[in-house]
């Protein structure tokens, strides 16, 4: 994959998602993880999962939840990335992280995760950020480890049989909990 031009942080706008963003956010998440469009980036899951990654109902639920924020990142007036933060008391959960495949490899992910950590710490007083990642995604886990996340060995099974989470192409899928302590 070619490296995309690096957007300068001053060219990025961070904001909370609104219901008006639902369709664009679903399209972004799908493009980053599923189908042929995801293959232009490095976060694709197209070889291990088919079907949907998210849907309008799930995105709307995150936006409307009183304990979650869906952060939108805009670049040049368009939605370029997003991530979910959920207040869970002493820690926050980080999920629904997607960067447009056209901008992957440009350092945007590092900027977004740093901002998510800052927001979780300052908004909710979170002392740690938790996330779950498919263990089959060793490259993605390694990326998070380089950002200071620790593998815990705590596994959660993939929800086989629930098409809302996709159509597995293999029978060994599970999630591992990754944790980063926030200073």
């Amino acid at each position: 994959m070619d490296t995309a031009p690096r957007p300068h942080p001053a060219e990025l706008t961070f904001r909370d998602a609104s219901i008006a963003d639902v369709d664009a956010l679903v399209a972004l998440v799908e493009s980053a993880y599923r189908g042929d469009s995801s293959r232009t980036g490095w976060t694709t899951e197209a070889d291990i999962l088919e079907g949907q990654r998210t849907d309008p109902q799930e995105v709307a639920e995150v936006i409307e939840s009183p304990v979650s924020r869906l952060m939108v990142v805009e670049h040049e007036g368009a939605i370029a990335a997003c991530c979910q933060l959920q207040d869970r008391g002493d820690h926050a959960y980080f999920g629904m992280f997607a960067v447009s495949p056209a901008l992957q490899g440009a350092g945007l992910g590092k900027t977004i995760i740093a901002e998510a950590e800052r927001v979780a710490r300052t908004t909710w007083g979170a002392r740690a950020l938790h996330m779950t990642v498919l263990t089959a995604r060793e490259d993605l886990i390694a990326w998070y480890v380089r950002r200071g996340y620790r593998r815990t060995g705590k596994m959660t099974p993939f929800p086989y049989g629930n098409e809302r989470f996709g159509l597995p192409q293999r029978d060994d899928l599970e999630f591992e909990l990754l944790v980063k302590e926030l200073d």
Side-chain angles (χ1 to χ4, degrees), residues 25-85:
L25 291 169
V26 170
L28 170 68
V29 172
E30 294 299 315
S31 74
Y33 292 98
R34 304 287 165 81
D36 288 336
S37 65
S38 71
R39 294 180 192 281
T40 63
W42 71 275
T43 61
T44 185
E45 297 171 343
D47 293 330
I48 57 175
L49 288 162
E50 292 181 353
Q52 70 179 30
R53 171 73 186 253
T54 192
D55 57 40
Q57 179 184 346
E58 180 184 22
V59 173
E61 288 170 0
V62 171
I63 291 170
E64 293 175 334
S65 170
V67 296
S68 284
R69 295 178 69 169
L70 187 52
M71 291 185 1
V72 171
V73 183
E74 293 179 334
H75 177 252
E76 297 180 349
I79 294 176
C82 69
C83 68
Q84 172 192 9
L85 290 170

Side-chain angles (χ1 to χ4, degrees), residues 108-165:
L108 189 55
K110 294 174 196 173
T111 301
I112 295 165
I113 201 164
E115 177 65 5
E117 292 166 359
R118 185 195 69 75
V119 167
R121 194 174 44 250
T122 60
T123 302
W124 297 313
R127 294 190 309 257
L129 203 59
H130 291 199
M131 69 176 73
T132 55
V133 180
L134 285 168
T135 58
R137 296 295 321 277
E138 286 293 333
D139 54 342
L140 188 56
I141 290 172
W143 187 87
Y144 285 119
V145 167
R146 289 192 301 274
R147 312 273 96 55
Y149 287 81
R150 174 179 52 83
R151 297 183 80 160
T152 66
K154 294 180 183 173
M155 305 298 178
T156 305
F158 184 85
Y160 285 92
N162 187 340
E163 291 184 13
R164 186 174 190 189
F165 296 96

